[in-house]
Amino acid sequence: MSGQTTISRRDILRHGTAAISSFAFGTAITSRWARANPLGANDRINVGVIGTGVRGKYLIGNLPETAQVTAICDCASSRMADTLEPKKEFAEVLAGFRDDHAAHCRTYQDYRRMLDQEQLDAVIIATPDHHHVPAAMLALEAGLDIYLEKPLSLTIREGRLLADMVKKTGCVLQVGSQQRTMEVNRFACELIRDGGLGRVRRVDSPNYPGPIAHAYFSSEPIPEGFDWNLFLGPSPHRPHNRKLWVKDEFKVDGLLWRGWDLFRDYSGHLMTNWGAHNIDMIQYALGMDHSGPVRIAPLNSDTIGNQQLDISEAALERDWKEKWHKKTPRPSGSFSDSIRFRPITMEYASGTVLNFLPGVPTATFYGEQGTMTISRNKFVTDPVDLIADGPDPTVTEKWKGSGFVARPHLQNWIDCIHSRNVPNAPVEVGHRSVTVCHLANIVRELNRPLKWNPAEERFDDNEANTLLDRPRRKQFELPK
């Protein structure tokens, strides 16, 4: 047709939705997702990796051979160097990448530059939590498929914006909730969802600690090759101190220091970190993948209905000593007065109650016909003969090994990039699961009961609604 403008895949990859906004923005963006040059079944996928810390390195090492890492990005150049020339435990994990791809892999400190300059098909995002949604939305603008580490978001509102943008673009986004691909976990969750325990009246979860609200550290010199401003990103500016960002590399008072994961500006701490896995299984088993609880409250009593609970100071301290003392500092005062350790109860519209309690090892479901606990790659029932024909035990083997084995979950993502099918852990599922974790941290902060509308994603409380999102620094706003 005379005068028709041709938009190439390269244009879309380099310039994102700006290249097609005059044609399709505001409707489902289909220029790349009805590609002129779609990926063939045998095409190798070019992947960029944003974040090359411990998790990023393991994901590179677990990436199936049908994909290749052509660019990496990290605000700390030293971590990229350690990825290209891996040492110690990563020498084996990254051996294939080092031998086959590292010499030709390009490096960037700013993921905005990488997304603008590289010709990629997809990205893996393994940054600190406060960069998850900003990086993912920019990648969507560039027309890329995404593997996004959990937790999906830092706030409920930004998670909703991301989920809506994925739907609009048609891109494939897999959340790194790999238990969604584990055969044993899928079997257990679907058995409960389909009535295998009868009506589930109650679910108990570990009482995951929340984040430290404020970080007060003296100013330290910024290390060479580290972009401190970029690390801070959308969060408030403050002087550099390594305790704010270095994770799992040194100890403080016997605690393997978790850096950014400890602080509210960057993370929901263990409630959204470990909790994102366990709550994801609870949401799955309760059939709540597109919804959530309707009432949330701090537990200030040792009784819910006829259920006797031990939420005493002694129980909270014992829980910290047994489970959390290597992961989070003890409070300066009592555990009972610390909002980070406050037990929580929630209720779904069905009447099922979800409790976050000390002394609970993993997600525990109480049904009319028995009890089931679900953990990673494992479930246990009481009575033990409740399930006559479970999954073949050999399916657990592929999920075992050193480090964080994620290859089957990554393979599901790669398969969906080719097929355009919905992955096992799609964005809406990841958003709804981490929303439950965010709700727990919010009700702890306000210390009063709240009603939650999961359809509108709003509270019945104006102050609580102000906590659905956070202000962002200039130049780090979310894409419009």
Side-chain angles (χ1 to χ4, degrees):
M1 182 185 299
S2 177
Q4 182 177 7
T5 301
T6 300
I7 303 175
S8 69
R9 177 172 176 273
R10 175 171 178 163
D11 289 334
I12 296 171
L13 289 175
R14 283 179 58 79
H15 302 295
T17 55
I20 56 174
S21 60
S22 61
F23 296 90
F25 197 76
T27 61
I29 299 173
T30 57
S31 293
R32 167 162 149 79
W33 314 119
R35 296 184 185 90
N37 299 299
L39 287 167
N42 297 319
D43 288 342
R44 178 171 281 189
I45 295 169
N46 293 326
V47 177
V49 177
I50 304 174
T52 58
V54 171
R55 187 59 178 165
K57 289 182 176 70
Y58 275 120
L59 291 173
I60 293 172
N62 277 267
L63 193 64
E65 294 178 358
T66 51
Q68 60 183 354
V69 174
T70 58
I72 59 175
C73 178
D74 199 293
C75 58
S77 57
S78 60
R79 290 186 173 168
M80 290 189 287
D82 289 342
T83 303
L84 298 175
E85 297 181 6
K87 302 174 180 64
K88 297 181 180 178
E89 70 268 28
F90 292 109
E92 181 178 355
V93 172
L94 292 173
F97 169 71
R98 177 197 61 213
D99 296 342
D100 299 334
H101 304 295
H104 307 290
C105 186
R106 292 168 293 280
T107 61
Y108 297 83
Q109 279 193 287
D110 191 326
Y111 54 79
R112 295 169 295 187
R113 289 177 57 85
M114 185 185 83
L115 293 172
D116 184 58
Q117 295 181 16
E118 288 292 316
Q119 296 189 42
L120 300 169
D121 299 303
V123 290
I124 292 171
I125 299 173
T127 63
D129 300 355
H130 63 301
H131 279 284
H132 281 187
V133 169
M137 292 184 76
L138 289 173
L140 291 174
E141 279 197 332
L144 305 182
D145 296 316
I146 301 167
Y147 185 98
L148 178 60
E149 260 308 320
K150 47 67 50 193
L152 179 89
S153 62
L154 185 67
T155 70
I156 293 174
R157 175 60 180 160
E158 69 175 22
R160 169 48 55 204
L161 293 174
L162 179 62
D164 289 348
M165 192 172 183
V166 170
K167 183 178 180 179
K168 178 187 287 186
T169 61
C171 295
V172 173
L173 190 150
Q174 174 91 298
V175 182
S177 301
Q178 62 203 47
Q179 291 174 192
R180 284 272 170 166
T181 297
M182 292 181 177
E183 294 82 357
V184 167
N185 290 72
R186 292 175 67 86
F187 174 88
C189 289
E190 290 172 12
L191 181 137
I192 295 173
R193 184 195 64 192
D194 297 339
L197 291 183
R199 180 179 178 274
V200 176
R201 64 185 186 277
R202 172 179 127 223
V203 186
D204 289 347
S205 164
N207 190 42
Y208 300 103
I212 297 171
H214 303 289
Y216 301 108
F217 296 107
S218 60
S219 178
E220 293 180 346
I222 299 173
E224 184 178 354
F226 179 58
D227 191 331
W228 173 241
N229 184 63
L230 181 60
F231 168 80
L232 291 174
S235 68
H237 189 274
R238 54 166 46 91
H240 167 267
N241 187 291
R242 69 173 186 153
K243 289 181 180 178
L244 290 169
W245 68 277
V246 177
K247 182 173 179 281
D248 294 340
E249 292 184 13
F250 58 84
K251 290 186 177 182
V252 176
D253 297 329
L255 172 73
L256 185 60
W257 192 250
R258 293 184 66 84
W260 56 265
D261 179 63
L262 287 165
F263 302 108
R264 184 181 181 274
D265 283 341
Y266 320 118
S267 169
H269 194 34
L270 295 177
M271 177 59 77
T272 60
N273 187 332
W274 288 9
H277 283 302
N278 225 17
I279 297 305
D280 189 50
M281 295 293 94
I282 292 171
Q283 286 278 108
Y284 189 177
L286 296 181
M288 289 287 109
D289 280 349
H290 293 82
S291 188
V294 296
R295 284 179 285 276
I296 312 101
L299 266 173
N300 296 315
S301 168
D302 61 0
T303 303
I304 299 179
N306 295 322
Q307 181 185 355
Q308 296 296 316
L309 309 171
D310 186 359
I311 57 171
S312 64
E313 172 73 13
L316 292 170
E317 181 164 13
R318 184 167 58 249
D319 198 47
W320 176 77
K321 287 180 178 178
E322 292 177 354
K323 290 205 293 285
W324 313 121
H325 73 281
K326 293 183 179 180
K327 298 295 181 182
T328 198
R330 67 179 301 141
S332 55
S334 72
F335 285 90
S336 299
D337 293 333
S338 174
I339 66 173
R340 298 201 303 118
F341 296 90
R342 185 167 289 147
I344 301 296
T345 187
M346 301 183 181
E347 185 177 349
Y348 290 85
S350 65
T352 299
V353 172
L354 167 59
N355 301 317
F356 293 81
L357 299 172
V360 176
T362 189
T364 305
F365 298 81
Y366 296 88
E368 295 171 312
Q369 298 177 24
T371 301
M372 177 182 285
T373 62
I374 301 177
S375 54
R376 177 164 295 190
N377 212 19
K378 182 180 179 181
F379 67 83
V380 176
T381 64
D382 182 15
V384 294
D385 59 352
L386 184 65
I387 298 171
D389 188 18
D392 188 329
T394 61
V395 300
T396 66
E397 295 303 315
K398 63 183 174 183
W399 296 100
K400 296 178 181 179
S402 60
F404 303 88
V405 179
R407 183 177 289 265
H409 198 52
L410 285 161
Q411 184 66 64
N412 174 251
W413 175 55
I414 296 298
D415 291 343
C416 291
I417 290 176
H418 286 292
S419 69
R420 312 314 299 168
N421 290 332
V422 177
N424 287 342
V427 64
E428 185 70 25
V429 164
H431 168 61
R432 292 292 185 166
S433 291
V434 76
T435 289
V436 178
C437 303
H438 291 317
L439 292 174
N441 279 337
I442 289 172
V443 81
R444 281 172 164 172
E445 190 169 336
L446 296 178
N447 195 27
R448 60 175 178 267
L450 298 168
K451 291 182 180 179
W452 173 249
N453 185 324
E456 297 181 4
E457 297 187 326
R458 299 279 294 176
F459 292 104
D460 67 335
D461 183 299
N462 290 334
E463 184 180 7
N465 285 327
T466 67
L467 301 178
L468 294 175
D469 207 359
R470 312 262 181 90
R472 291 174 176 81
R473 286 199 300 147
K474 289 185 177 180
Q475 299 184 1
F476 292 97
E477 299 94 343
L478 294 178
K480 298 294 186 181

